[in-house]
Amino acid sequence: MAAGGESKLQLLRSHIRAFPDFPKKGIVFRDICPILKDAAVLKAVIDLFEEHVRNSHQHVDLIVGLDARGFLFGPLLAQRLGVGFVLVRKKGKLPGPTVSVAYDLEYGKAEAEMQADAVAPGQKVLLIDDLLATGGTLKAACDLMRKMQAEVLGCMVVIELKELNGIDKVQPHNVFSLVQY
């Protein structure tokens, strides 16, 4: 990464707040709200994602954003790349025919879905979210793309919580993270 990239990463790191014991004791919540309220930092994040995509992927058809914070970064990146953006939502949030996959949560189950016509078979997609923790949601989105017969080029996140090993669940897909804890 060029020197400019390193300064952007430092700027990004300085705008991620840690809240110990939120939402429950023993968890350190990484807050991205300061990134979103500072235009220069938000631009730096999208610059870093764009640089990664342009250097690593010759052709991308769609950016796929995960509910809900992937919706914050995905459309900005898609616009920069000149490609479309589609949503992966929690079950019951999208109108019209949908396709869904079930996945396990720490205490229960959930479903991720997208509109049935959102991705065409063979389209090359990149998934984006704010955080990779245990990997359940990102894996479900990858499974949903496979069900839709799309080609997952990779996954991108602002923050990766390495000690939770979420990257293992997403294999064989590559995960690009800007910041790791």
Side-chain angles (χ1 to χ4, degrees), residues 104-121:
D104 293 324
L105 297 171
E106 189 175 351
Y107 298 106
K109 293 195 174 286
E111 284 188 67
E113 72 178 357
M114 67 187 324
Q115 291 176 317
D117 63 353
V119 177

Side-chain angles (χ1 to χ4, degrees), residues 143-180:
D143 292 346
L144 188 54
M145 293 304 108
R146 184 172 47 256
K147 191 172 187 178
M148 300 287 287
Q149 300 176 21
E151 180 183 343
V152 176
L153 300 175
C155 306
M156 300 176 294
V157 295
V158 178
I159 300 168
E160 178 184 352
L161 302 178
K162 292 188 80 71
E163 68 184 28
L164 297 178
N165 298 314
I167 199 165
D168 295 341
K169 199 174 271 187
V170 180
Q171 293 299 328
H173 304 293
N174 292 324
V175 176
F176 173 74
S177 56
L178 296 177
V179 177
Q180 303 81 34

Side-chain angles (χ1 to χ4, degrees), residues 26-142:
I27 293 176
V28 178
F29 186 90
R30 303 293 176 173
D31 181 23
I32 62 163
C33 290
I35 294 167
L36 300 171
K37 76 176 194 177
D38 188 314
V41 183
L42 183 56
K43 180 183 181 309
V45 168
I46 302 306
D47 289 348
L48 290 163
F49 280 138
E50 180 184 14
E51 178 183 346
H52 167 72
V53 173
R54 293 199 187 278
N55 290 336
S56 302
H57 304 288
Q58 295 299 312
H59 179 79
V60 176
D61 293 312
L62 294 169
I63 300 297
V64 178
L66 279 63
D67 196 344
R69 293 180 195 99
F71 302 170
L72 303 172
F73 301 104
L76 297 172
L77 178 61
Q79 188 275 327
R80 288 260 194 104
L81 297 171
V83 301
F85 174 79
V86 297
L87 311 168
V88 170
R89 303 257 0 229
K90 294 173 182 79
K91 180 89 174 153
K93 300 289 185 181
L94 292 170
T98 60
V99 176
S100 65
V101 295
Y103 64 102
D104 293 324
L105 297 171
E106 189 175 351
Y107 298 106
K109 293 195 174 286
E111 284 188 67
E113 72 178 357
M114 67 187 324
Q115 291 176 317
D117 63 353
V119 177
Q123 282 193 301
K124 297 175 186 310
V125 302
L126 284 168
L127 283 69
I128 191 165
D129 204 0
D130 68 323
L131 179 78
L132 174 60
T134 62
T137 305
L138 198 52
K139 180 188 182 308
C142 290

Side-chain angles (χ1 to χ4, degrees), residues 1-15 40-41 44 48:
M1 184 172 291
E6 279 303 318
S7 66
K8 289 176 183 176
L9 281 174
Q10 288 176 357
L11 181 64
L12 168 59
R13 282 186 195 103
S14 73
H15 283 76
V41 183
L48 290 163

